[in-house]
Amino acid sequence: MAFLLRFSHSLFISFFLFRFCTPIDTIIPTHAIDDGETLVSAGKKFVLGFFSPSNSNNRYIGIWYNNVPEQTVLWVANRENPLPNSSGVLAIINGDLVLLDARRGTVWSAMNDSNVTNYSSARLLDSGNLVLSDNEGRVLWESFDHPTDTSLPGMKLGVDRRTSIDRYLTSWKSPNDPAHGEFSFRLDSQGLPQYILWKGSERVWRSGPWNGQRFSGVPGMNLNFIFNFRYVANEYETYFTYDLYNASVISRMVLNGSGELQRLTWIDRNHRWNLFWAIPGERCDQYAQCGTYAGCNANQAQSCECLHGFEPRSPQDWYLRDGSDGCVRRRPLECEKGDGFFKLAHAKLPDTLHARVDTRASLKECEDQCLKNCSCTAYSSADINGGGSGCMMWSGDLIDLEVYSDGGQDIYVRVAASELDSKRLVSKKRMMILIITIILGAILFAFCGCCLWQRQKTREGSGENESNHGINEIELEESTRGSELPLFDLHVVAAATNNFSSENKLGEGGFGPVYKGKLMNGEEIAVKRLCKNSGQGSEEFRNEILLIAKLQHRNLVRIIGCCAQGEEKMLIYEYMRNKSLDWFIFDETRRVLLDWRQRFNIIMGIARGVLYLHQDSRLRIIHRDLKASNVLLDNEMNPRISDFGMARLFGGNQTQANTNRVVGTYGYMSPEYAMDGLFSVKSDVFSFGVILLEIINGKRNNNYFSDDPSQNLIRYAWELWNEGRCLELVDSWMLSSCPTNELQRCIQVGLLCVQENAKDRPTMASVVFMLGIDTAMPTPKQPAFCVQKSFNSKDSSTSRTGSCTINEVSITDLQAQ
Ligand SMILES: *[C@@H]1O[C@H](CO)[C@@H](O)[C@H](O)[C@H]1NC(C)=O
Ligand SMILES: *[C@@H]1O[C@H](CO)[C@@H](O)[C@H](O)[C@H]1NC(C)=O
Ligand SMILES: *[C@@H]1O[C@H](CO)[C@@H](O)[C@H](O)[C@H]1NC(C)=O
């Protein structure tokens, strides 16, 4: 008896221990969950329990991450029916999972169906899915089929026509109320399937149809090496899902209360959610931003552009930059007589509400089919894999088109045949305009010439000298007098350069060829020769001579003199035997000649040179065309900044200016300059940042919008940084020779310089300071051109950190030092 008692006692104890010491992951009919108790998935990844949102006393059943300290609710059971107090119980009753209140009334149930089966249990899986199944393991219900506002890896978004389940996200009403908000993200199966972000019944954003590799409106999708996206469309179901290549990464997609669809990743060491991308990101993401028959191009100031053969419906609004009215045909279609198609490349395909697909047709058959059907307005390939196959056809108006600089796909838009050979017509028209312009110009010219001549005469009378806009010796002499810039004789320069022989040619500079030469005294020179008849060039030449003559710094190229005789205009510099930075760092064999120490010296030197231009010289100069090929290297491998043809003088307290003529080099241009023509010292800082990253990585920052991650250095650096792998940016052979903290510091500075927002970028003074001294540094925010446009995060308020952070401090602190 005593034995039996002891036995039952220990049984009780072990049951007790089991119940309370090891977390359980399953609700069974005999064990309900009270408020305060939780289920924890077997791998301890997810927790289910009662919670209250912030600023609310209401109780809800929810699922959140076990390992994320900041409670992040991913799913809510009773979102519309909160419990007023903590007397709720989650139990299995008659096979259904139900939430009961204090009076044991049903507040919420999974299946709304009593007597489903006589036994069932609900288990919280390590995927975050709560699954109710019967005693044979058949799934009766699962929370993944009823998402709240969050999509987790493995969850499907879309429809299952067999069970009539439609899985979509709905935002919370507010941060303290998980009830259905006004935004939803849902598969739209009318027409060709595509995902739509809705605000109520209004379309906010559209993913575009799946094109075999990605959604047409999400060009950045396929370059993802973190997520494995899949899209399944067959007669039974249509859905989109994704997995993570690395299962220990914590990542979710959430539709937040303001209607922003965000991809967030938990970065443990920073204790915060990191925004990976967000939709809608920029103006072109807005549904039908440009109305019908127009493409939205985010890279242009006037973002809406009518398709070929179309014109603005209301030109006035159009030129006031409201394109929402869209465009209309210039010439009506003539289906019977035969229309044609105009190809629009790099497009986000228009709304597929009135589109259909024929997967068997080839592109040629597609064209024929479309041509035959008078209601067909456009066609394209349905699947871009393997050069394109299948046929997508639109009828009715084409709406919500976007044009990318890269990526996207070709679409063929139906236009009247006369629009296609209208090139001839257009050129005739152009010819007329040209002739008229020439005649008018000639008259004006004659008139002005006359006036000038008159004025010249009067000035000569008063002994005054008038300089015109070309350059002449008088002017050159004037601009050189102050700086004692020597004037060279043409025949001296010609002799030095072997009469400008092609063997002596070093390359092509900003406004003409550059020759190597040797003066009689043995000094080696580089001669920049202005192309004759180069109107723009002479402006740049003049600019350079005016500026550089006044500048002296060991990190700027030194000018020796100039030459202006008749048609010939030349600038003479000291010769740089080691050519330019790009000649080394981008070359497979020469790159090893620059070790980390030298590279760091070069980075510092460029920084000091730019700082001198911005701040320390008597003038305040913005270079505007900093790039690796404009950084020359002297005999000691010291960097010398060259090419001041585009530089601009700034007034003492002027901080920003605008230009109609954006000059500079793609890949080094800051977004505000490239897109809006705004330049400031911060646009030079941006270019410096790109050069810095190029020096570290050894590859060119070629193309901001390329699908190939190796092409967009900024994005690559940023991704590595966010993943705490920033040292991978460094050429491996170099890594052994350099102190990692110095390297990390450089990368951090580089990322600070290329931040999207000019205000966030440090000044050159801060850059020199941060590079030079082991000091606290701000955390870089998302750089410009970092993410593909649709994934472009407009959020720059959340800052992110990488493992490479050395310390955090705000930019203003730093500038105060
Ligand atoms: C997966 O992610 C974890 C945490 O982020 C990381 O520690 C681990 O190295 C990653 N594994 C791989 C194979 O990348
Ligand atoms: C949604 O996200 C955006 C960007 O992070 C943020 O500005 C906004 O406040 C968020 N809305 C809510 C309701 O949390
Ligand atoms: C023409 O296109 C419309 C709309 O796509 C479609 O409903 C109709 O069946 C097509 N007609 C023919 C003859 O293919």
Side-chain angles (χ1 to χ4, degrees):
M1 192 62 203
F3 165 76
L4 252 181
L5 251 178
R6 205 170 323 129
F7 177 73
S8 62
H9 184 71
S10 66
L11 203 73
F12 176 73
I13 297 225
S14 55
F15 169 73
F16 202 85
L17 281 178
F18 170 76
R19 186 75 176 81
F20 292 99
C21 293
T22 39
I24 51 163
D25 67 352
T26 311
I27 309 178
I28 53 176
T30 49
H31 293 132
I33 295 277
D34 294 332
D35 198 330
E37 282 182 88
T38 54
L39 290 186
V40 179
S41 67
K44 303 202 170 32
K45 287 191 168 175
F46 293 92
V47 182
L48 176 142
F50 288 83
F51 76 97
S52 292
S54 54
N55 303 322
S56 163
N57 293 321
N58 287 336
R59 302 296 283 169
Y60 297 88
I61 284 284
I63 294 175
W64 57 88
Y65 290 105
N66 192 27
N67 300 325
V68 173
E70 156 191 340
Q71 192 183 60
T72 307
V73 176
L74 307 164
W75 179 78
V76 184
N78 53 324
R79 51 192 306 196
E80 297 290 345
N81 303 306
L83 289 159
N85 52 38
S86 35
S87 60
V89 176
L90 185 65
I92 289 193
I93 294 176
N94 297 331
D96 196 1
L97 181 66
V98 293
L99 178 61
L100 305 171
D101 62 13
R103 283 175 286 119
R104 297 302 173 245
T106 303
V107 173
W108 171 87
S109 79
M111 292 191 295
N112 270 331
D113 188 2
S114 55
N115 274 324
V116 191
T117 165
N118 46 14
Y119 179 88
S120 66
S121 61
R123 168 176 241 159
L124 179 62
L125 305 184
D126 261 333
S127 57
N129 194 2
L130 179 67
V131 179
L132 183 69
S133 43
D134 65 13
N135 54 357
E136 281 158 36
R138 279 190 298 253
V139 173
L140 303 171
W141 173 94
E142 55 189 315
S143 66
F144 268 20
D145 280 344
H146 306 273
T148 308
D149 64 346
T150 306
S151 158
L152 290 174
M155 189 188 270
K156 296 170 178 176
L157 284 181
V159 293
D160 187 333
R161 284 177 270 276
R162 293 164 300 191
T163 54
S164 314
I165 283 175
D166 184 1
R167 311 174 200 90
Y168 61 95
L169 307 180
T170 330
S171 63
W172 284 27
K173 203 167 211 164
S174 73
N176 42 36
D177 185 1
H180 288 87
E182 59 179 333
F183 295 97
S184 58
F185 181 68
R186 189 170 190 165
L187 181 76
D188 185 18
S189 311
Q190 287 180 284
L192 292 181
Q194 54 183 350
Y195 286 86
I196 307 276
L197 180 58
W198 299 90
K199 180 180 186 182
S201 59
E202 181 192 324
R203 290 164 178 245
V204 177
W205 178 82
R206 200 173 59 83
S207 70
W210 182 261
N211 65 15
Q213 284 183 3
R214 54 181 178 248
F215 292 105
S216 158
V218 193
M221 216 167 124
N222 64 338
L223 51 92
N224 231 306
F225 43 86
I226 301 172
F227 309 100
N228 176 19
F229 295 113
R230 267 169 304 131
Y231 176 73
V232 174
N234 55 40
E235 55 181 309
Y236 305 118
E237 43 183 357
T238 306
Y239 65 83
F240 162 72
T241 186
Y242 68 96
D243 296 321
L244 291 163
Y245 287 118
N246 181 345
S248 46
V249 171
I250 298 179
S251 178
R252 66 193 167 110
M253 186 167 86
V254 61
L255 179 60
N256 93 353
S258 323
E260 200 171 278
L261 187 67
Q262 302 171 329
R263 154 77 52 211
L264 299 159
T265 304
W266 178 257
I267 308 281
D268 213 19
R269 78 189 109 75
N270 302 337
H271 307 289
R272 76 174 85 131
W273 286 102
N274 185 47
L275 185 67
F276 205 75
W277 51 252
I279 284 168
E282 31 95 340
R283 50 192 172 164
C284 283
D285 280 352
Q286 281 301 321
Y287 181 77
Q289 176 74 6
C290 296
T292 52
Y293 300 109
C296 190
N297 187 336
N299 293 340
Q300 281 171 9
Q302 168 89 36
S303 49
C304 292
E305 201 172 335
C306 290
L307 304 184
H308 176 88
F310 295 82
E311 60 196 5
R313 192 191 302 272
S314 42
Q316 188 137 15
D317 293 346
W318 192 264
Y319 295 114
L320 292 173
R321 302 202 169 176
D322 174 10
S324 54
D325 255 2
C327 302
V328 290
R329 277 182 204 287
R330 269 199 304 240
R331 296 192 192 128
L333 293 174
E334 294 177 310
C335 187
E336 285 72 31
K337 285 199 225 154
D339 295 321
F341 293 95
F342 176 77
K343 173 174 146 185
L344 178 68
H346 300 304
K348 169 180 178 176
L349 298 178
D351 200 343
T352 50
L353 204 56
H354 304 292
R356 62 201 171 91
V357 72
D358 177 350
T359 49
R360 288 175 305 263
S362 70
L363 200 60
K364 184 75 193 88
E365 288 160 356
C366 197
E367 177 175 355
D368 294 343
Q369 279 189 36
C370 189
L371 204 55
K372 273 192 220 131
N373 189 337
C374 291
S375 64
C376 177
T377 46
Y379 72 91
S380 80
S381 290
D383 186 333
I384 61 171
N385 287 313
S389 63
C391 171
M392 237 185 258
M393 279 172 288
W394 282 260
S395 57
D397 287 342
L398 303 178
I399 195 163
D400 194 32
L401 273 139
E402 203 173 318
V403 181
Y404 305 120
S405 351
D406 201 1
Q409 75 188 82
D410 297 344
I411 176 170
Y412 301 83
V413 179
R414 185 185 207 118
V415 287
S418 53
E419 286 289 358
L420 285 177
D421 47 43
S422 64
K423 275 193 194 117
R424 227 170 352 106
L425 290 174
V426 168
S427 61
K428 249 187 205 164
K429 221 170 166 184
R430 282 230 179 99
M431 204 60 169
M432 282 294 284
I433 293 174
L434 198 70
I435 291 170
I436 294 171
T437 317
I438 289 173
I439 294 172
L440 282 179
I443 294 171
L444 201 69
F445 185 77
F447 178 72
C448 289
C450 222
C451 294
L452 275 176
W453 183 68
Q454 286 272 327
R455 260 173 76 188
Q456 189 78 16
K457 262 178 101 174
T458 46
R459 292 226 173 156
E460 263 165 20
S462 62
E464 205 178 313
N465 222 331
E466 161 88 354
S467 74
N468 61 17
H469 279 288
I471 24 174
N472 53 34
E473 280 172 88
I474 299 168
E475 193 194 354
L476 268 187
E477 245 166 344
E478 242 176 24
S479 53
T480 55
R481 201 176 296 144
S483 58
E484 293 165 8
L485 194 61
L487 270 174
F488 280 66
D489 228 326
L490 180 58
H491 74 260
V492 173
V493 185
T497 57
N498 207 357
N499 206 12
F500 304 106
S501 74
S502 49
E503 283 101 57
N504 284 44
K505 192 166 158 180
L506 291 170
E508 205 76 26
F511 45 74
V514 183
Y515 297 92
K516 183 187 170 176
K518 197 169 193 177
L519 295 177
M520 295 296 270
N521 64 5
E523 188 177 0
E524 290 183 287
I525 56 171
V527 180
K528 243 190 202 180
R529 187 186 195 190
L530 175 68
C531 285
K532 290 170 197 162
N533 324 319
S534 156
Q536 196 54 55
S538 60
E539 188 56 36
E540 286 168 11
F541 183 87
R542 193 176 123 95
N543 199 20
E544 175 140 20
I545 205 159
L546 287 171
L547 289 183
I548 197 164
K550 299 196 173 79
L551 300 172
Q552 267 195 349
H553 187 267
R554 61 191 299 267
N555 295 116
L556 302 186
V557 71
R558 194 166 64 86
I559 192 163
I560 300 174
C562 61
C563 167
Q565 247 166 292
E567 296 260 286
E568 289 287 358
K569 274 117 202 160
M570 277 168 268
L571 291 176
I572 296 140
Y573 299 89
E574 60 179 337
Y575 175 65
M576 294 288 148
R577 185 159 302 159
N578 283 320
K579 300 211 162 68
S580 53
L581 184 57
D582 62 337
W583 196 69
F584 279 96
I585 60 174
F586 301 138
D587 185 272
E588 219 51 67
T589 50
R590 285 187 288 266
R591 64 180 1 141
V592 294
L593 299 174
L594 282 185
D595 64 18
W596 173 247
R597 202 79 328 267
Q598 282 169 315
R599 285 176 192 235
F600 186 73
N601 283 340
I602 290 170
I603 292 171
M604 278 306 276
I606 303 170
R608 288 200 194 95
V610 182
L611 173 62
Y612 170 81
L613 292 178
H614 285 181
Q615 189 177 315
D616 295 343
S617 67
R618 284 172 294 152
L619 313 160
R620 192 179 160 87
I621 290 167
I622 295 177
H623 187 285
R624 291 211 293 165
D625 197 18
L626 289 172
K627 54 181 170 183
S629 59
N630 277 344
V631 175
L632 308 183
L633 296 172
D634 69 13
N635 294 350
E636 282 92 40
M637 287 288 183
N638 289 315
R640 303 290 196 99
I641 298 168
S642 75
D643 214 332
F644 288 79
M646 300 187 183
R648 281 293 182 87
L649 259 181
F650 255 37
N653 41 21
Q654 189 185 6
T655 56
Q656 177 177 300
N658 203 315
T659 179
N660 291 327
R661 191 174 144 258
V662 171
V663 289
T665 306
Y666 198 59
Y668 294 91
M669 268 193 271
S670 64
E672 76 274 15
Y673 182 46
M675 288 166 195
D676 299 319
L678 276 181
F679 63 92
S680 67
V681 287
K682 296 298 181 71
S683 31
D684 275 355
V685 170
F686 184 94
S687 312
F688 170 80
V690 175
I691 298 176
L692 196 162
L693 294 175
E694 285 180 335
I695 292 176
I696 289 172
N697 179 248
K699 298 214 182 57
R700 280 179 206 278
N701 182 42
N702 269 340
N703 192 340
Y704 294 142
F705 294 108
S706 172
D707 274 5
D708 179 0
S710 68
Q711 299 278 298
N712 182 345
L713 180 57
I714 296 179
R715 180 168 66 212
Y716 182 47
W718 174 244
E719 279 169 0
L720 288 179
W721 164 271
N722 270 327
E723 290 162 42
R725 304 188 292 146
C726 71
L727 290 181
E728 288 174 32
L729 193 64
V730 186
D731 252 0
S732 47
W733 65 267
M734 204 159 68
L735 204 52
S736 54
S737 74
C738 57
T740 48
N741 62 343
E742 201 171 62
L743 206 56
Q744 286 172 353
R745 171 167 297 280
C746 280
I747 295 170
Q748 189 168 353
V749 170
L751 285 169
L752 284 170
C753 291
V754 296
Q755 289 175 106
E756 172 110 51
N757 191 340
K759 278 206 235 63
D760 291 333
R761 293 175 213 144
T763 60
M764 254 4 253
S766 308
V767 167
V768 170
F769 184 76
M770 290 187 290
L771 284 175
I773 303 169
D774 210 318
T775 174
M777 279 198 274
T779 308
K781 295 179 189 169
Q782 165 140 324
F785 311 114
C786 174
V787 191
Q788 283 282 342
K789 288 178 295 158
S790 309
F791 280 169
N792 212 350
S793 142
K794 66 177 170 216
D795 166 56
S796 53
S797 58
T798 23
S799 55
R800 283 139 258 187
T801 12
S803 71
C804 314
T805 316
I806 291 169
N807 231 323
E808 287 189 37
V809 66
S810 83
I811 275 264
T812 38
D813 291 351
L814 219 110
Q815 280 164 349
Q817 286 171 15

